[in-house]
Amino acid sequence: MSFTATTPKIVVPLLCRFLISKRPVVSWESHSLSKAFTTGYCLHHPRGVKPKVQRSKVTGWVLPAEGSVDLPGSTTSDERSDVRNDEIELHHPVMLREVMDVLKPTENQVLLDMTFGAGGHTKAILQSCPIATVYALDRDPVAHQLAVDLAERYPSRLHPLLGRFSDLDSLLKSSHVDPNHFDGVLIDAGCSSMQFDDPRRGFALSQDGPLDMRMDGTRLPSNPSAADVVNSLDAETLARILKTYGEERHARKVASMIVEYRDKHKPIESTQELATVVSLAFSHRQSEDSKDALGRRMHVATRTFQALRIFVNDELNELNHGLHAVKPYIRGGGCGRLAVLTFHSLEDRVVKRFLQGRNVNEKGRSIHERKNSSDWTAEEEEHKSTEWEIVHKKVLYASDHEVSVNPRSRSAKLRAAFKL
């Protein structure tokens, strides 16, 4: 389900507000809100402080018609960070042993790391097999520069690529890569530790910084930031984003509080400011009792941050595009391997349905609904694909030891398959 914000009733108030506040009027670019799933995961963050702000009834803007969501694109902050070498050395690649067991790189093999990040998995592959070749893709210019620097240590063995998952096909063709080229492919979905740890990127609640959340940084200046989203869309559209991508049960209340604050006080510009505004929508008891699906304590704004990040970066669509784009480039006949790490069930469901050969937007049915239907068969329960052979019967999780060393791996799930 998608919406549009291009009608005069939406545009005029926006332009007036920008002019009154003497902010520059920015161009409008289309950004689609796609149909997605409704289960998410949360990160641990300290509870925010609630300032005393007078609350009043706010009249929301007119709900836009069906179509695309048009957001103002702006680029005012330079979030390109200088990553120190010691920080990179402290990076812990998630489920490294399990990933290496799946990929099993050997001499003369060619592999693709579709999420280079800080390069932990790529380094392990290059060090474990002195003759293996790795193509390293990342949409983040900071991560891409790290890959370029690492390529100097591994000349002709590491080939950095800058772009999104949806750019993969054109990038590989420009690099003269033919179909059935890769022996193994790795996708480590979601936000990287580097992005979370840099407050200038605006991903985390734990550190104050500009409300950005764009994984591409300023590489694509027309793309809207998280600040553009929360300061431009009406309450109804914001609520649908929070509900769809963050499974926020109080989405309407949170969206109304965001709109009320920005209209009566000022545009929301920082991560801590957004976290504080969101916390105003909850009682003290709700803030104290806030927990994620696994019963872990979390900040009440966690789901809001997750939803905005997924929406701003179009993460679920990109993941789906990437899986389908890389498929022709993986060797068939049971030789080529695909390993995918996900960190919440929205991503995991996209991967699971892809490996099962099901449409990502297909409405799911419980096992009881399938068994009671007239067309159910025993084989349908397993959704066996004729294109992939699943490596593990059940999804793999990080070990207790790894979680104790690297707490960010606690939500990680690994799915792997051979291409038939």
Side-chain angles (χ1 to χ4, degrees):
M1 185 176 295
S2 56
F3 314 92
T4 183
T6 59
T7 62
K9 291 184 179 180
I10 299 299
V11 176
V12 173
L14 276 176
L15 294 180
C16 290
R17 182 157 53 83
F18 276 117
L19 290 173
I20 292 173
S21 61
K22 296 182 180 180
R23 295 167 63 91
V25 179
V26 292
S27 60
W28 291 75
E29 294 291 339
S30 177
H31 189 86
S32 62
L33 170 60
S34 62
K35 183 177 181 181
F37 308 105
T38 55
T39 308
Y41 85 117
C42 303
L43 301 174
H44 289 283
H45 290 292
R47 186 170 62 88
V49 180
K50 298 183 179 182
K52 294 182 179 179
V53 178
Q54 184 178 3
R55 302 180 63 175
S56 62
K57 185 176 180 180
V58 177
T59 303
W61 293 343
V62 179
L63 179 65
E66 298 290 330
S68 62
V69 177
D70 292 335
L71 301 174
S74 65
T75 171
T76 57
S77 64
D78 181 11
E79 73 302 296
R80 183 177 176 84
S81 62
D82 297 323
V83 183
R84 300 193 308 268
N85 290 331
D86 58 341
E87 291 178 339
I88 298 304
E89 294 301 326
L90 292 175
H91 171 66
H92 299 283
V94 175
M95 299 185 70
L96 178 60
R97 179 177 58 83
E98 293 83 352
V99 169
M100 295 297 288
D101 287 344
V102 170
L103 297 180
K104 291 183 171 60
T106 58
E107 295 184 358
N108 298 321
Q109 284 194 343
V110 183
L111 298 100
L112 170 64
D113 185 350
M114 293 179 60
T115 46
F116 179 81
H121 292 103
T122 294
K123 289 179 186 177
I125 294 172
L126 293 172
Q127 293 171 359
S128 66
C129 187
I131 310 181
T133 301
V134 179
Y135 285 77
L137 172 71
D138 207 291
R139 65 190 293 178
D140 190 340
V142 176
H144 176 69
Q145 184 58 48
L146 291 176
V148 172
D149 296 339
L150 185 63
E152 296 178 358
R153 294 168 50 185
Y154 298 94
S156 73
R157 294 186 57 206
L158 178 59
H159 304 277
L161 301 171
L162 176 61
R164 300 181 173 192
F165 290 161
S166 53
D167 302 323
L168 179 66
D169 187 53
S170 60
L171 289 171
L172 292 179
K173 288 179 178 178
S174 63
S175 299
H176 307 289
V177 175
D178 298 322
N180 300 310
H181 187 75
F182 295 115
D183 299 282
V185 172
L186 169 65
I187 299 178
D188 186 356
C191 190
S192 71
S193 295
M194 287 193 311
Q195 293 166 335
F196 270 122
D197 293 338
D198 187 352
R200 291 172 291 182
R201 305 301 297 270
F203 285 96
L205 292 101
S206 57
Q207 304 179 78
D208 194 22
L211 190 59
D212 195 318
M213 297 193 191
R214 290 175 293 185
M215 292 181 178
D216 298 282
T218 56
R219 184 173 67 91
L220 302 174
S222 63
N223 285 2
S225 66
D228 295 323
V229 175
V230 298
N231 291 316
S232 302
L233 296 182
D234 61 278
E236 185 68 23
T237 307
L238 278 174
R240 297 199 187 195
I241 292 174
L242 301 183
K243 179 66 175 178
T244 301
Y245 294 125
E247 199 190 15
E248 176 56 73
R249 291 183 298 172
H250 306 283
R252 291 183 179 274
K253 187 188 297 185
V254 173
S256 296
M257 179 57 63
I258 290 174
V259 172
E260 178 178 348
Y261 178 87
R262 81 187 188 202
D263 288 347
K264 285 190 167 293
H265 298 276
K266 59 184 288 291
I268 301 173
E269 299 175 344
S270 71
T271 55
Q272 290 292 296
E273 187 177 14
L274 176 61
T276 302
V277 171
V278 172
S279 69
L280 290 171
F282 297 86
S283 66
H284 179 76
R285 180 64 178 271
Q286 287 174 318
S287 298
E288 289 291 339
D289 295 342
S290 179
K291 292 180 174 60
D292 65 7
L294 299 179
R296 303 170 302 201
R297 185 177 179 183
M298 69 173 189
H299 192 290
V300 289
T302 299
R303 291 189 175 94
T304 297
F305 271 66
Q306 173 187 309
L308 291 174
R309 192 201 78 214
I310 293 175
F311 176 74
V312 166
N313 297 287
D314 202 16
E315 291 183 31
L316 300 183
N317 272 332
E318 284 294 321
L319 178 58
N320 189 43
H321 282 311
L323 290 168
H324 285 87
V326 78
K327 180 179 172 183
Y329 292 93
I330 302 176
R331 292 180 58 195
C335 299
R337 301 174 175 88
L338 172 66
V340 185
L341 286 166
T342 59
F343 291 83
H344 57 77
S345 56
L346 293 174
E347 297 169 338
D348 182 61
R349 197 172 303 180
V350 173
V351 177
K352 181 179 179 180
R353 292 192 173 192
F354 170 77
L355 294 178
Q356 292 175 343
R358 300 168 61 191
N359 189 304
V360 70
N361 288 324
E362 174 186 336
K363 184 178 179 181
R365 294 193 300 170
S366 68
I367 182 62
H368 301 290
E369 290 176 324
R370 296 200 300 270
K371 284 185 176 181
N372 291 332
S373 64
S374 58
D375 59 345
W376 183 85
T377 60
E379 289 77 12
E380 184 184 353
E381 181 178 349
E382 298 183 5
H383 293 284
K384 291 184 178 179
S385 172
T386 59
E387 300 175 300
W388 300 95
E389 179 183 349
I390 306 301
V391 175
H392 311 105
K393 186 175 181 180
K394 295 184 178 181
V395 63
L396 295 186
Y397 298 89
S399 64
D400 293 338
H401 172 71
E402 180 174 359
V403 173
S404 65
V405 175
N406 181 19
R408 285 178 176 171
S409 66
R410 64 186 177 274
S411 301
K413 298 179 182 180
L414 174 64
R415 293 187 183 273
F418 295 98
K419 183 182 176 183
L420 302 177

